[in-house]
Amino acid sequence: MNNFDKVSAGTQARVELHDLLNLTGAEVSINLLPAGASVPFVHSHRLNEEIYAILDGEGKAIIDGSSVVLKAGDWLRISPSAKRQFFASEKHSVKYICIQVKANSLEGYTMTDAVV
């Protein structure tokens, strides 16, 4: 049994890596919204906060009624209960990674969790 999994994400508009990588502590998806498109629903979560990394393009998120401009290089964290929806700009697509993790579950990180 390997202690790692490696996959190619492909070029689909949405790729969820949970099953592909056998993730046990997070959900990760890669998303591409074409110019003028949006996620077709507003949503929130019961337990999971989301971390977004904007990889390419530009767009916006509407979070609890506030408009947040997004561009390549931006990072965004959203609390579970916040209502959110994502949009590509009218002229440019937006490609982003979304990482879902249980809020307040981090017990250690980098140096405090590393075993040397």
Side-chain angles (χ1 to χ4, degrees), residues 14-80:
R14 180 171 170 85
V15 177
E16 293 184 3
L17 298 175
H18 179 265
D19 291 335
L20 294 174
L21 287 174
N22 299 305
L23 299 176
T24 64
E27 171 63 281
V28 179
S29 63
I30 304 166
N31 304 270
L32 175 64
L33 291 175
S38 68
V39 172
F41 52 87
V42 175
H43 75 286
S44 61
H45 289 276
R46 289 184 295 277
L47 301 173
N48 294 341
E49 66 183 0
E50 291 181 321
I51 302 103
Y52 291 86
I54 311 305
L55 301 175
D56 190 41
E58 57 188 52
K60 70 177 179 181
I62 304 295
I63 306 167
D64 287 340
S66 294
S67 183
V68 178
V69 174
L70 302 171
K71 64 183 183 335
D74 287 347
W75 285 82
L76 177 67
R77 184 201 64 86
I78 304 177
S79 296

